[in-house]
Amino acid sequence: MVEEIKEEVRTEPISFVEEIVRNDLSEGKNGGRMQTRFPPEPNGYLHIGHAKAIAIDFGLAQKYGGVCNLRMDDTNPQKEDTEYVEAIKRDIEWLGFKWGDVLYASDYFQQLWDLAVELIKQGKAYVDEQTSEQIAEQKGTPTQPGVNSPYRDRPVEESLRLFEEMNSGQMEPGKMVLRAKIDMANPNMHFRDPIMYRVLNLPHWRTGHKWNAYPMYDYTHGQCDYWEGVTHSICTLEFVSHRPLYDLFVDWAKQVGGDDQPLDDNRPRQIEFNKLNLTHILLSKRNLLILVKEGVVNGWDDPRMPTICGFRRRGYSPEGILSFIDKIGYTKFDALNQMSLFESAVRDDLNKRAQRVSAVVDPVKLIITNFPEDKVEVYTAQNNPENEADGTHEIEFSRELWIEREDFMEDAPAKFFRLGPGKEVRLKNSYIIRCPQENCCKKDADGNITEIYAELIPETKTGEANANMKIKGKTIHWVSCRHCIEAEVRNYDRLWMVENPRDEIAKYSDEHGGVKGIEAMRPFLNPDSLEVKKAYVEKWLTTRKPLDYLQFQRIGYYNVDPDSTPEHLIFNRTVGLRDNWKK
Ligand code: ATP
Ligand code: MG
């Protein structure tokens, strides 16, 4: 028995990241401890890309008995906000993960400052008074060494005094920076005396006016990981070239902290994987903020947004999102995944959880001429054939019904298996009906069909004598005119007309004098990404709660919008029943 389980663990496909974690644990690194962190910058709402990072940061910690802390990377006070912090927490919880502690990079501002002072004293950092342009010019290129700053060897006391001044609130932003003294000729550009601190003179939403000089990402992240006890610092590929600097700052923090454990074994290890990137969507909070501010979408949770809250409102389930992430996996190469792959994963998931209902989105009236006018029949409809435990609900049938306009054709060819002169179909949960050969519909002056006529064939309901009668026609859905409810249906199409908006926008910007922001985005936005329609839906839908998962039978997956009320029902189209995106 034990052997069998072992075998199962061995053959299960795991990512290279998980492989590293397993090896480290089996070698007893970090005392057999495992700890991760998810480090968003609270400058916007989380998007589907973040879900990929969340799944591995929290997922691996959970699987290997470790903890994953939520650490807000809040070193840019001008762009950050508590609104975002709250939204980030809500989205992580919705995805189904639990953090250990909520921490902030700003918790470490004092420690980072003290470390910087110590590094200045050791001759490992200096205050540079050059402009950012001058510093950039001296940086060199990957094949050409840089040039030392004239301030590189200034006396320690001077740097200490100027560093204090940088934080006084009296120094103009940009006038001075603190730089690490590493190696201006190093082939790794990040080693060419990277900036550790810059002056911002801005209050911080957590630390108030205490700080005016703020640490840079590279000087912050590794030490926070180290001080917190993170063992595996998982991030995306663009940080590969930062890794040596990450390691160096951790070494410095260790030495200054007086920790004499061997450096290689007990330290956070940065591991990089490929970002999630999907066709027809644009990620990055900075870009998403532009769409919100310019009113292209109705807020961060607009169902067309690739944000977690937008996806939630759209009707994708956390399980569906995570199953997609599981499918694409973690690699060391950038890729662009097809949106259709994502949709197929969420569709498989929704098939298991969506409640089946009837909704007619393009209605035309059908009259059952041999059914009495005041009679009503009540049927029991299964909520979800995939899950009996979901139960049943009732649906009323009467003489006048709404059906989809496309389910009837006046000059129907032989291969049209829906309604038309002399044709038969089954009404879902109800009778088989037949249109007469002659006079099967009525039209208005413009030739639009206003009414269709049919007769029901007696005893063709489930369990009755003619229930098994064979017909060529399909089963179509319907709602009873007297019993149904009008609802607003929001159908979404792709927001971007091009497969790779990020690249197209960059190209357009290059070709048009560097136009930025919404100007560069507009040519690629789909003007028809939202279609609002009126539909007739069965009454049972008034009992559904916001965000409930539904399948409008034969139409698509929908969910209940958070703004929906029993008096004004609103449904969002999540995804069609099959992949029918126009090429
Ligand atoms: P954005 O540019 O959208 O703001 P970011 O990388 O700046 O993204 P952060 O909030 O700083 O966002 O990132 C939090 C974590 O999420 C980081 O570890 C980052 O690498 C990861 N992450 C961000 N975008 C993606 C993505 N598309 N796929 C996978 N992980 C991502
Ligand atoms: Mg960022």
Side-chain angles (χ1 to χ4, degrees), residues 353-396:
R353 65 185 72 247
Q355 309 290 289
R356 271 57 169 179
V357 296
S358 294
V360 176
V361 296
D362 185 16
V364 62
K365 192 174 276 184
L366 169 70
I367 299 179
I368 312 294
T369 49
N370 59 346
F371 195 83
E373 232 162 277
D374 47 4
K375 189 175 171 189
V376 176
E377 287 186 5
V378 179
Y379 306 136
T380 301
Q382 221 182 343
N383 289 342
N384 183 0
E386 300 289 318
N387 183 13
E388 207 142 314
D390 281 357
T392 59
H393 69 273
E394 294 190 331
I395 180 163
E396 290 100 341

mmCIF file of all heavy atoms in Angstrom, residues 353-396:
data_model
loop_
_atom_site.group_PDB
_atom_site.id
_atom_site.type_symbol
_atom_site.label_atom_id
_atom_site.label_comp_id
_atom_site.label_asym_id
_atom_site.label_seq_id
_atom_site.Cartn_x
_atom_site.Cartn_y
_atom_site.Cartn_z
ATOM 1 N N ARG A 353 -20.836 22.628 -12.823
ATOM 2 C CA ARG A 353 -21.490 23.368 -11.731
ATOM 3 C C ARG A 353 -22.666 24.259 -12.144
ATOM 4 O O ARG A 353 -23.407 24.734 -11.280
ATOM 5 C CB ARG A 353 -20.456 24.172 -10.938
ATOM 6 C CG ARG A 353 -19.763 25.283 -11.697
ATOM 7 C CD ARG A 353 -18.671 25.943 -10.884
ATOM 8 N NE ARG A 353 -17.517 25.073 -10.742
ATOM 9 C CZ ARG A 353 -17.112 24.532 -9.591
ATOM 10 N NH1 ARG A 353 -17.714 24.804 -8.478
ATOM 11 N NH2 ARG A 353 -16.052 23.733 -9.578
ATOM 12 N N ALA A 354 -22.864 24.480 -13.436
ATOM 13 C CA ALA A 354 -23.915 25.431 -13.834
ATOM 14 C C ALA A 354 -25.309 24.818 -13.764
ATOM 15 O O ALA A 354 -25.503 23.663 -14.133
ATOM 16 C CB ALA A 354 -23.629 25.918 -15.247
ATOM 17 N N GLN A 355 -26.261 25.584 -13.292
ATOM 18 C CA GLN A 355 -27.649 25.148 -13.246
ATOM 19 C C GLN A 355 -28.287 25.403 -14.614
ATOM 20 O O GLN A 355 -28.177 26.496 -15.161
ATOM 21 C CB GLN A 355 -28.414 25.936 -12.176
ATOM 22 C CG GLN A 355 -27.721 25.951 -10.822
ATOM 23 C CD GLN A 355 -27.738 24.600 -10.144
ATOM 24 O OE1 GLN A 355 -28.770 24.140 -9.702
ATOM 25 N NE2 GLN A 355 -26.578 23.958 -10.074
ATOM 26 N N ARG A 356 -28.964 24.375 -15.132
ATOM 27 C CA ARG A 356 -29.560 24.483 -16.468
ATOM 28 C C ARG A 356 -30.900 25.206 -16.411
ATOM 29 O O ARG A 356 -31.776 24.812 -15.629
ATOM 30 C CB ARG A 356 -29.781 23.103 -17.057
ATOM 31 C CG ARG A 356 -28.625 22.544 -17.831
ATOM 32 C CD ARG A 356 -27.358 22.453 -17.053
ATOM 33 N NE ARG A 356 -26.347 21.665 -17.773
ATOM 34 C CZ ARG A 356 -25.118 21.445 -17.325
ATOM 35 N NH1 ARG A 356 -24.727 21.963 -16.179
ATOM 36 N NH2 ARG A 356 -24.272 20.744 -18.030
ATOM 37 N N VAL A 357 -31.045 26.220 -17.229
ATOM 38 C CA VAL A 357 -32.295 26.981 -17.247
ATOM 39 C C VAL A 357 -32.678 27.282 -18.689
ATOM 40 O O VAL A 357 -31.884 27.107 -19.613
ATOM 41 C CB VAL A 357 -32.173 28.310 -16.466
ATOM 42 C CG1 VAL A 357 -31.924 28.051 -14.997
ATOM 43 C CG2 VAL A 357 -31.082 29.183 -17.057
ATOM 44 N N SER A 358 -33.921 27.770 -18.839
ATOM 45 C CA SER A 358 -34.373 28.165 -20.169
ATOM 46 C C SER A 358 -34.426 29.669 -20.257
ATOM 47 O O SER A 358 -34.961 30.343 -19.368
ATOM 48 C CB SER A 358 -35.755 27.590 -20.448
ATOM 49 O OG SER A 358 -35.668 26.191 -20.521
ATOM 50 N N ALA A 359 -33.848 30.189 -21.330
ATOM 51 C CA ALA A 359 -33.886 31.612 -21.598
ATOM 52 C C ALA A 359 -33.965 31.770 -23.101
ATOM 53 O O ALA A 359 -33.260 31.076 -23.838
ATOM 54 C CB ALA A 359 -32.632 32.280 -21.049
ATOM 55 N N VAL A 360 -34.838 32.645 -23.536
ATOM 56 C CA VAL A 360 -34.973 32.862 -24.975
ATOM 57 C C VAL A 360 -34.422 34.250 -25.263
ATOM 58 O O VAL A 360 -34.934 35.254 -24.754
ATOM 59 C CB VAL A 360 -36.452 32.721 -25.404
ATOM 60 C CG1 VAL A 360 -36.603 33.038 -26.882
ATOM 61 C CG2 VAL A 360 -36.943 31.307 -25.102
ATOM 62 N N VAL A 361 -33.349 34.302 -26.032
ATOM 63 C CA VAL A 361 -32.641 35.577 -26.191
ATOM 64 C C VAL A 361 -33.051 36.343 -27.440
ATOM 65 O O VAL A 361 -32.833 37.540 -27.541
ATOM 66 C CB VAL A 361 -31.101 35.388 -26.154
ATOM 67 C CG1 VAL A 361 -30.651 34.882 -24.790
ATOM 68 C CG2 VAL A 361 -30.622 34.449 -27.250
ATOM 69 N N ASP A 362 -33.667 35.647 -28.410
ATOM 70 C CA ASP A 362 -34.161 36.354 -29.597
ATOM 71 C C ASP A 362 -35.571 35.828 -29.868
ATOM 72 O O ASP A 362 -35.787 34.975 -30.723
ATOM 73 C CB ASP A 362 -33.220 36.078 -30.788
ATOM 74 C CG ASP A 362 -33.613 36.890 -32.001
ATOM 75 O OD1 ASP A 362 -34.386 37.867 -31.843
ATOM 76 O OD2 ASP A 362 -33.162 36.539 -33.108
ATOM 77 N N PRO A 363 -36.557 36.328 -29.088
ATOM 78 C CA PRO A 363 -37.849 35.643 -28.999
ATOM 79 C C PRO A 363 -38.785 35.857 -30.193
ATOM 80 O O PRO A 363 -38.838 36.924 -30.789
ATOM 81 C CB PRO A 363 -38.474 36.247 -27.738
ATOM 82 C CG PRO A 363 -37.738 37.508 -27.463
ATOM 83 C CD PRO A 363 -36.441 37.477 -28.201
ATOM 84 N N VAL A 364 -39.521 34.797 -30.491
ATOM 85 C CA VAL A 364 -40.670 34.895 -31.388
ATOM 86 C C VAL A 364 -41.743 34.000 -30.759
ATOM 87 O O VAL A 364 -41.427 33.017 -30.105
ATOM 88 C CB VAL A 364 -40.304 34.471 -32.834
ATOM 89 C CG1 VAL A 364 -39.854 33.012 -32.895
ATOM 90 C CG2 VAL A 364 -41.463 34.727 -33.788
ATOM 91 N N LYS A 365 -43.022 34.387 -30.980
ATOM 92 C CA LYS A 365 -44.098 33.676 -30.273
ATOM 93 C C LYS A 365 -44.506 32.393 -30.991
ATOM 94 O O LYS A 365 -44.622 32.368 -32.216
ATOM 95 C CB LYS A 365 -45.311 34.602 -30.141
ATOM 96 C CG LYS A 365 -46.344 34.062 -29.179
ATOM 97 C CD LYS A 365 -47.471 35.052 -28.929
ATOM 98 C CE LYS A 365 -47.098 36.060 -27.854
ATOM 99 N NZ LYS A 365 -48.262 36.958 -27.550
ATOM 100 N N LEU A 366 -44.710 31.353 -30.194
ATOM 101 C CA LEU A 366 -45.196 30.067 -30.720
ATOM 102 C C LEU A 366 -46.522 29.772 -30.030
ATOM 103 O O LEU A 366 -46.615 29.812 -28.802
ATOM 104 C CB LEU A 366 -44.180 28.963 -30.388
ATOM 105 C CG LEU A 366 -44.642 27.522 -30.636
ATOM 106 C CD1 LEU A 366 -44.769 27.228 -32.125
ATOM 107 C CD2 LEU A 366 -43.670 26.532 -29.992
ATOM 108 N N ILE A 367 -47.575 29.467 -30.832
ATOM 109 C CA ILE A 367 -48.883 29.163 -30.244
ATOM 110 C C ILE A 367 -49.208 27.687 -30.465
ATOM 111 O O ILE A 367 -49.150 27.193 -31.593
ATOM 112 C CB ILE A 367 -49.975 30.084 -30.841
ATOM 113 C CG1 ILE A 367 -49.590 31.534 -30.503
ATOM 114 C CG2 ILE A 367 -51.358 29.735 -30.285
ATOM 115 C CD1 ILE A 367 -50.538 32.574 -31.033
ATOM 116 N N ILE A 368 -49.478 27.010 -29.359
ATOM 117 C CA ILE A 368 -49.848 25.583 -29.430
ATOM 118 C C ILE A 368 -51.368 25.552 -29.590
ATOM 119 O O ILE A 368 -52.106 25.713 -28.615
ATOM 120 C CB ILE A 368 -49.423 24.824 -28.151
ATOM 121 C CG1 ILE A 368 -47.960 25.131 -27.782
ATOM 122 C CG2 ILE A 368 -49.672 23.323 -28.305
ATOM 123 C CD1 ILE A 368 -46.939 24.637 -28.772
ATOM 124 N N THR A 369 -51.821 25.381 -30.826
ATOM 125 C CA THR A 369 -53.238 25.635 -31.141
ATOM 126 C C THR A 369 -54.188 24.623 -30.505
ATOM 127 O O THR A 369 -55.357 24.927 -30.314
ATOM 128 C CB THR A 369 -53.433 25.653 -32.670
ATOM 129 O OG1 THR A 369 -52.811 24.484 -33.210
ATOM 130 C CG2 THR A 369 -52.787 26.884 -33.274
ATOM 131 N N ASN A 370 -53.690 23.426 -30.183
ATOM 132 C CA ASN A 370 -54.596 22.453 -29.550
ATOM 133 C C ASN A 370 -54.410 22.366 -28.030
ATOM 134 O O ASN A 370 -54.714 21.374 -27.412
ATOM 135 C CB ASN A 370 -54.449 21.070 -30.193
ATOM 136 C CG ASN A 370 -53.033 20.532 -30.084
ATOM 137 O OD1 ASN A 370 -52.109 21.287 -29.765
ATOM 138 N ND2 ASN A 370 -52.858 19.250 -30.340
ATOM 139 N N PHE A 371 -53.863 23.417 -27.448
ATOM 140 C CA PHE A 371 -53.728 23.447 -25.978
ATOM 141 C C PHE A 371 -54.643 24.551 -25.459
ATOM 142 O O PHE A 371 -54.568 25.692 -25.914
ATOM 143 C CB PHE A 371 -52.268 23.739 -25.595
ATOM 144 C CG PHE A 371 -51.956 23.431 -24.156
ATOM 145 C CD1 PHE A 371 -51.651 22.132 -23.756
ATOM 146 C CD2 PHE A 371 -51.968 24.451 -23.202
ATOM 147 C CE1 PHE A 371 -51.356 21.861 -22.422
ATOM 148 C CE2 PHE A 371 -51.679 24.177 -21.863
ATOM 149 C CZ PHE A 371 -51.365 22.870 -21.483
ATOM 150 N N PRO A 372 -55.530 24.214 -24.500
ATOM 151 C CA PRO A 372 -56.538 25.195 -24.052
ATOM 152 C C PRO A 372 -55.908 26.475 -23.506
ATOM 153 O O PRO A 372 -54.843 26.435 -22.888
ATOM 154 C CB PRO A 372 -57.280 24.453 -22.931
ATOM 155 C CG PRO A 372 -56.945 23.014 -23.107
ATOM 156 C CD PRO A 372 -55.636 22.938 -23.798
ATOM 157 N N GLU A 373 -56.616 27.589 -23.743
ATOM 158 C CA GLU A 373 -56.073 28.902 -23.397
ATOM 159 C C GLU A 373 -55.798 29.100 -21.909
ATOM 160 O O GLU A 373 -54.799 29.700 -21.537
ATOM 161 C CB GLU A 373 -57.046 29.980 -23.861
ATOM 162 C CG GLU A 373 -56.327 31.016 -24.698
ATOM 163 C CD GLU A 373 -57.293 31.835 -25.514
ATOM 164 O OE1 GLU A 373 -57.712 31.394 -26.602
ATOM 165 O OE2 GLU A 373 -57.625 32.922 -25.029
ATOM 166 N N ASP A 374 -56.655 28.582 -21.052
ATOM 167 C CA ASP A 374 -56.469 28.851 -19.622
ATOM 168 C C ASP A 374 -55.762 27.721 -18.876
ATOM 169 O O ASP A 374 -55.584 27.771 -17.674
ATOM 170 C CB ASP A 374 -57.824 29.150 -18.949
ATOM 171 C CG ASP A 374 -58.867 28.135 -19.368
ATOM 172 O OD1 ASP A 374 -58.486 27.180 -20.106
ATOM 173 O OD2 ASP A 374 -60.037 28.271 -18.983
ATOM 174 N N LYS A 375 -55.317 26.727 -19.625
ATOM 175 C CA LYS A 375 -54.682 25.588 -18.958
ATOM 176 C C LYS A 375 -53.178 25.838 -18.739
ATOM 177 O O LYS A 375 -52.521 26.491 -19.549
ATOM 178 C CB LYS A 375 -54.873 24.334 -19.830
ATOM 179 C CG LYS A 375 -54.434 23.064 -19.131
ATOM 180 C CD LYS A 375 -54.748 21.837 -19.983
ATOM 181 C CE LYS A 375 -54.076 20.629 -19.340
ATOM 182 N NZ LYS A 375 -54.136 19.448 -20.201
ATOM 183 N N VAL A 376 -52.677 25.334 -17.597
ATOM 184 C CA VAL A 376 -51.237 25.429 -17.312
ATOM 185 C C VAL A 376 -50.750 24.049 -16.888
ATOM 186 O O VAL A 376 -51.430 23.373 -16.113
ATOM 187 C CB VAL A 376 -50.956 26.430 -16.167
ATOM 188 C CG1 VAL A 376 -49.464 26.444 -15.823
ATOM 189 C CG2 VAL A 376 -51.432 27.827 -16.537
ATOM 190 N N GLU A 377 -49.650 23.603 -17.418
ATOM 191 C CA GLU A 377 -49.025 22.370 -16.918
ATOM 192 C C GLU A 377 -47.719 22.754 -16.241
ATOM 193 O O GLU A 377 -47.045 23.689 -16.665
ATOM 194 C CB GLU A 377 -48.749 21.392 -18.074
ATOM 195 C CG GLU A 377 -50.023 20.744 -18.592
ATOM 196 C CD GLU A 377 -49.761 19.660 -19.626
ATOM 197 O OE1 GLU A 377 -48.573 19.335 -19.876
ATOM 198 O OE2 GLU A 377 -50.753 19.157 -20.173
ATOM 199 N N VAL A 378 -47.393 22.024 -15.161
ATOM 200 C CA VAL A 378 -46.156 22.333 -14.447
ATOM 201 C C VAL A 378 -45.236 21.128 -14.542
ATOM 202 O O VAL A 378 -45.645 20.006 -14.236
ATOM 203 C CB VAL A 378 -46.448 22.666 -12.965
ATOM 204 C CG1 VAL A 378 -45.138 22.971 -12.234
ATOM 205 C CG2 VAL A 378 -47.406 23.853 -12.873
ATOM 206 N N TYR A 379 -44.017 21.351 -14.996
ATOM 207 C CA TYR A 379 -43.049 20.266 -15.151
ATOM 208 C C TYR A 379 -41.938 20.411 -14.131
ATOM 209 O O TYR A 379 -41.663 21.498 -13.623
ATOM 210 C CB TYR A 379 -42.417 20.292 -16.551
ATOM 211 C CG TYR A 379 -43.410 20.294 -17.665
ATOM 212 C CD1 TYR A 379 -43.243 21.153 -18.756
ATOM 213 C CD2 TYR A 379 -44.529 19.455 -17.652
ATOM 214 C CE1 TYR A 379 -44.142 21.156 -19.804
ATOM 215 C CE2 TYR A 379 -45.435 19.457 -18.696
ATOM 216 C CZ TYR A 379 -45.249 20.309 -19.777
ATOM 217 O OH TYR A 379 -46.133 20.319 -20.793
ATOM 218 N N THR A 380 -41.282 19.293 -13.900
ATOM 219 C CA THR A 380 -40.115 19.315 -13.020
ATOM 220 C C THR A 380 -38.874 19.248 -13.896
ATOM 221 O O THR A 380 -38.717 18.308 -14.675
ATOM 222 C CB THR A 380 -40.156 18.114 -12.064
ATOM 223 O OG1 THR A 380 -41.372 18.214 -11.323
ATOM 224 C CG2 THR A 380 -38.981 18.138 -11.108
ATOM 225 N N ALA A 381 -38.044 20.262 -13.777
ATOM 226 C CA ALA A 381 -36.825 20.297 -14.593
ATOM 227 C C ALA A 381 -35.626 20.018 -13.701
ATOM 228 O O ALA A 381 -35.533 20.524 -12.583
ATOM 229 C CB ALA A 381 -36.681 21.660 -15.261
ATOM 230 N N GLN A 382 -34.700 19.229 -14.221
ATOM 231 C CA GLN A 382 -33.492 18.903 -13.475
ATOM 232 C C GLN A 382 -32.561 20.113 -13.488
ATOM 233 O O GLN A 382 -32.318 20.709 -14.535
ATOM 234 C CB GLN A 382 -32.808 17.722 -14.147
ATOM 235 C CG GLN A 382 -32.271 16.745 -13.168
ATOM 236 C CD GLN A 382 -31.547 15.609 -13.867
ATOM 237 O OE1 GLN A 382 -31.715 15.383 -15.072
ATOM 238 N NE2 GLN A 382 -30.754 14.898 -13.117
ATOM 239 N N ASN A 383 -32.034 20.466 -12.315
ATOM 240 C CA ASN A 383 -31.150 21.636 -12.283
ATOM 241 C C ASN A 383 -29.826 21.389 -12.986
ATOM 242 O O ASN A 383 -29.273 22.281 -13.618
ATOM 243 C CB ASN A 383 -30.886 22.067 -10.841
ATOM 244 C CG ASN A 383 -32.123 22.689 -10.217
ATOM 245 O OD1 ASN A 383 -33.045 23.097 -10.936
ATOM 246 N ND2 ASN A 383 -32.169 22.743 -8.895
ATOM 247 N N ASN A 384 -29.314 20.173 -12.809
ATOM 248 C CA ASN A 384 -28.031 19.888 -13.438
ATOM 249 C C ASN A 384 -27.876 18.398 -13.670
ATOM 250 O O ASN A 384 -27.638 17.648 -12.731
ATOM 251 C CB ASN A 384 -26.896 20.415 -12.541
ATOM 252 C CG ASN A 384 -25.539 20.209 -13.169
ATOM 253 O OD1 ASN A 384 -25.429 19.668 -14.272
ATOM 254 N ND2 ASN A 384 -24.509 20.638 -12.472
ATOM 255 N N PRO A 385 -28.014 17.965 -14.909
ATOM 256 C CA PRO A 385 -27.905 16.524 -15.192
ATOM 257 C C PRO A 385 -26.543 15.963 -14.797
ATOM 258 O O PRO A 385 -26.396 14.761 -14.619
ATOM 259 C CB PRO A 385 -28.105 16.436 -16.709
ATOM 260 C CG PRO A 385 -27.945 17.815 -17.229
ATOM 261 C CD PRO A 385 -28.251 18.762 -16.121
ATOM 262 N N GLU A 386 -25.532 16.837 -14.616
ATOM 263 C CA GLU A 386 -24.187 16.370 -14.229
ATOM 264 C C GLU A 386 -24.097 16.137 -12.725
ATOM 265 O O GLU A 386 -23.098 15.639 -12.232
ATOM 266 C CB GLU A 386 -23.129 17.411 -14.619
ATOM 267 C CG GLU A 386 -23.060 17.720 -16.100
ATOM 268 C CD GLU A 386 -22.467 16.571 -16.907
ATOM 269 O OE1 GLU A 386 -21.487 15.974 -16.449
ATOM 270 O OE2 GLU A 386 -23.015 16.281 -17.992
ATOM 271 N N ASN A 387 -25.107 16.608 -11.984
ATOM 272 C CA ASN A 387 -25.037 16.488 -10.536
ATOM 273 C C ASN A 387 -26.439 16.429 -9.941
ATOM 274 O O ASN A 387 -27.074 17.466 -9.720
ATOM 275 C CB ASN A 387 -24.254 17.684 -9.964
ATOM 276 C CG ASN A 387 -24.090 17.585 -8.463
ATOM 277 O OD1 ASN A 387 -24.341 16.532 -7.873
ATOM 278 N ND2 ASN A 387 -23.710 18.676 -7.846
ATOM 279 N N GLU A 388 -26.871 15.212 -9.685
ATOM 280 C CA GLU A 388 -28.232 15.009 -9.226
ATOM 281 C C GLU A 388 -28.532 15.778 -7.940
ATOM 282 O O GLU A 388 -29.641 16.258 -7.733
ATOM 283 C CB GLU A 388 -28.477 13.519 -9.013
ATOM 284 C CG GLU A 388 -29.916 13.161 -9.176
ATOM 285 C CD GLU A 388 -30.091 11.810 -9.874
ATOM 286 O OE1 GLU A 388 -29.415 11.562 -10.892
ATOM 287 O OE2 GLU A 388 -30.893 11.031 -9.379
ATOM 288 N N ALA A 389 -27.522 15.921 -7.076
ATOM 289 C CA ALA A 389 -27.710 16.583 -5.784
ATOM 290 C C ALA A 389 -28.177 18.038 -5.938
ATOM 291 O O ALA A 389 -28.689 18.631 -4.997
ATOM 292 C CB ALA A 389 -26.409 16.544 -4.992
ATOM 293 N N ASP A 390 -27.999 18.605 -7.119
ATOM 294 C CA ASP A 390 -28.434 19.987 -7.322
ATOM 295 C C ASP A 390 -29.961 20.120 -7.363
ATOM 296 O O ASP A 390 -30.487 21.229 -7.349
ATOM 297 C CB ASP A 390 -27.829 20.555 -8.610
ATOM 298 C CG ASP A 390 -26.384 20.973 -8.423
ATOM 299 O OD1 ASP A 390 -25.898 20.875 -7.276
ATOM 300 O OD2 ASP A 390 -25.749 21.387 -9.403
ATOM 301 N N GLY A 391 -30.660 18.990 -7.442
ATOM 302 C CA GLY A 391 -32.111 19.031 -7.315
ATOM 303 C C GLY A 391 -32.850 19.432 -8.575
ATOM 304 O O GLY A 391 -32.326 19.333 -9.690
ATOM 305 N N THR A 392 -34.080 19.884 -8.374
ATOM 306 C CA THR A 392 -34.959 20.202 -9.502
ATOM 307 C C THR A 392 -35.674 21.522 -9.236
ATOM 308 O O THR A 392 -35.626 22.046 -8.130
ATOM 309 C CB THR A 392 -36.046 19.112 -9.656
ATOM 310 O OG1 THR A 392 -36.776 19.053 -8.434
ATOM 311 C CG2 THR A 392 -35.443 17.750 -9.974
ATOM 312 N N HIS A 393 -36.309 22.049 -10.255
ATOM 313 C CA HIS A 393 -37.199 23.196 -10.059
ATOM 314 C C HIS A 393 -38.378 23.067 -11.024
ATOM 315 O O HIS A 393 -38.349 22.232 -11.931
ATOM 316 C CB HIS A 393 -36.446 24.522 -10.247
ATOM 317 C CG HIS A 393 -36.024 24.796 -11.654
ATOM 318 N ND1 HIS A 393 -34.837 24.334 -12.181
ATOM 319 C CD2 HIS A 393 -36.630 25.499 -12.653
ATOM 320 C CE1 HIS A 393 -34.723 24.735 -13.437
ATOM 321 N NE2 HIS A 393 -35.791 25.444 -13.760
ATOM 322 N N GLU A 394 -39.397 23.885 -10.805
ATOM 323 C CA GLU A 394 -40.606 23.755 -11.616
ATOM 324 C C GLU A 394 -40.636 24.773 -12.739
ATOM 325 O O GLU A 394 -40.102 25.884 -12.606
ATOM 326 C CB GLU A 394 -41.841 23.920 -10.719
ATOM 327 C CG GLU A 394 -41.930 22.773 -9.733
ATOM 328 C CD GLU A 394 -43.246 22.736 -8.976
ATOM 329 O OE1 GLU A 394 -43.848 23.818 -8.785
ATOM 330 O OE2 GLU A 394 -43.658 21.628 -8.602
ATOM 331 N N ILE A 395 -41.286 24.358 -13.825
ATOM 332 C CA ILE A 395 -41.376 25.262 -14.974
ATOM 333 C C ILE A 395 -42.774 25.104 -15.592
ATOM 334 O O ILE A 395 -43.276 23.989 -15.729
ATOM 335 C CB ILE A 395 -40.230 24.951 -15.972
ATOM 336 C CG1 ILE A 395 -40.287 25.870 -17.181
ATOM 337 C CG2 ILE A 395 -40.213 23.504 -16.417
ATOM 338 C CD1 ILE A 395 -38.980 25.895 -17.960
ATOM 339 N N GLU A 396 -43.420 26.237 -15.887
ATOM 340 C CA GLU A 396 -44.801 26.198 -16.373
ATOM 341 C C GLU A 396 -44.879 26.187 -17.896
ATOM 342 O O GLU A 396 -44.088 26.843 -18.562
ATOM 343 C CB GLU A 396 -45.604 27.416 -15.873
ATOM 344 C CG GLU A 396 -45.904 27.393 -14.402
ATOM 345 C CD GLU A 396 -44.956 28.261 -13.602
ATOM 346 O OE1 GLU A 396 -43.871 28.581 -14.132
ATOM 347 O OE2 GLU A 396 -45.303 28.601 -12.458
#
